[in-house]
Structures are given as C-alpha cells and as structure tokens.
Amino acid sequence: MPADTATAGLTGTLADVREEVELADESRRYNPRGRRLRAPRDLNRRRLDALTGTADATRELSASLSRLTQGPDVDTRIPDDARRTLARAIEAASHLVTTPPDPEATAGQLREAEHALTAYTDRLRELTAHDEPLDAWEAAVSLRRVIAACGPLSDPDADTATR
C-alpha cells in the first residue's frame, strides 16, 4: 500500500479532532463553571499536540519505510535482522500511541518504545558506513518524533486525569 494511501485518513481525523477541541474550548469560555476548570482544556491541548506530532511523524515514517522497502534490493539495503528490529521499534511506538493518556500506563510504554528505538539505532550503527541507508535513519528520526510527541502525556507531574 502506498504511503499516501496509508496515511490519507490522518489529515481528516486530525482536522476533526482539532475542531472538537476548539468547540470544547469555546463552550468552556461561555460557561462560568467551565472557565474555572483549566485542567481539561490543558489536557485536551496536550492530547491535540500529541496527536498532531504523532500524525506528522507517522506520515514521515510511512514515506521513509516506503522508500526503504521498495524494490528487489531491499535485503542488500537493510539486513533482515535490522528490519525486524525496526519492526519491534514501530510496534513499541504504536503501543505508546494507543495507550490512553495516563501517566503510569504511558510511562511504561514510553520506556519500552525508547528501548526498542535504541536497539534499532544500535543495530544501524553496526552497519558499515556505505551500507547505512539514509531512509533507515529517517525512520528512526520519525519514531523519535512519535515518542517525543507522546512524552508529555507520561509526565506524572502533569494533570492528565480527566475530570
């Protein structure tokens, strides 16, 4: 499946979520009780920021994976064990993205995603310089951005509980 097809729904979903957050903020502004409650608005903003960052990084990841894996010479561009390590890093990042924003649950998924990404970049460093495909490193950067986007939701000092 082409990268554009795989990520086409992200833009629409993101626009829908942004509109809902804006409507909720507007409703709170006109509700005297809602004006006193900053935490839900801040939480929704953090969630929207995380979603935006994750969607952008996912599009970049999809594009780099498409370039990395197309053509018959994929085995010579990135060894099978490096592809498996990349797949584990993508899986760990996907678990982080799908975990509800609760500091305790998200913190564990964040650590797992960090470890999986480190394993992948360590494996890439083992490749000889002329064998290192740029798209493999671009995939790592995209995964780093996904993890960074979800990071604020794992902060135990942040008020991420819904009210």
Side-chain angles (χ1 to χ4, degrees), residues 36 55 97 117 131:
R36 286 180 271 159
V97 170
L117 179 57
D131 288 337

Side-chain angles (χ1 to χ4, degrees), residues 17 21 40-52 100-102 149 153 160-162:
V17 170
V21 168
R41 187 182 85 213
D42 293 344
L43 172 62
N44 288 338
R45 284 286 159 202
R46 282 199 312 271
R47 288 176 174 168
L48 179 59
D49 290 346
L51 180 62
T52 301
D102 170 76
L153 299 176
T160 58
T162 56

Side-chain angles (χ1 to χ4, degrees), residues 46-47 49-55 57-58 92-93 96-97 106 109-111 113-114 117 140-155:
R46 282 199 312 271
R47 288 176 174 168
D49 290 346
L51 180 62
T52 301
T54 300
T58 299
L96 174 63
V97 170
T106 308
Q109 294 296 339
L110 185 67
R111 280 190 303 277
E114 290 279 357
L117 179 57
V141 169
S142 297
L143 286 171
R144 167 63 55 219
R145 290 186 62 218
V146 168
I147 293 168
C150 295
L153 299 176
S154 68
D155 182 358

Side-chain angles (χ1 to χ4, degrees), residues 7-18:
T7 60
L10 289 176
T11 303
T13 300
L14 188 57
D16 291 345
V17 170
R18 182 172 283 119

Side-chain angles (χ1 to χ4, degrees), residues 41-102:
R41 187 182 85 213
D42 293 344
L43 172 62
N44 288 338
R45 284 286 159 202
R46 282 199 312 271
R47 288 176 174 168
L48 179 59
D49 290 346
L51 180 62
T52 301
T54 300
D56 290 344
T58 299
R59 280 190 287 270
E60 292 170 5
L61 176 62
S62 180
S64 64
L65 290 175
S66 179
R67 289 188 303 271
L68 184 64
T69 58
Q70 64 184 310
D73 62 338
V74 66
D75 289 328
T76 59
R77 280 186 279 141
I78 183 167
D80 185 56
D81 64 316
R83 286 195 314 271
R84 282 194 304 271
T85 306
L86 172 58
R88 284 191 291 275
I90 292 169
E91 182 179 22
S94 74
H95 290 288
L96 174 63
V97 170
T98 59
T99 299
D102 170 76

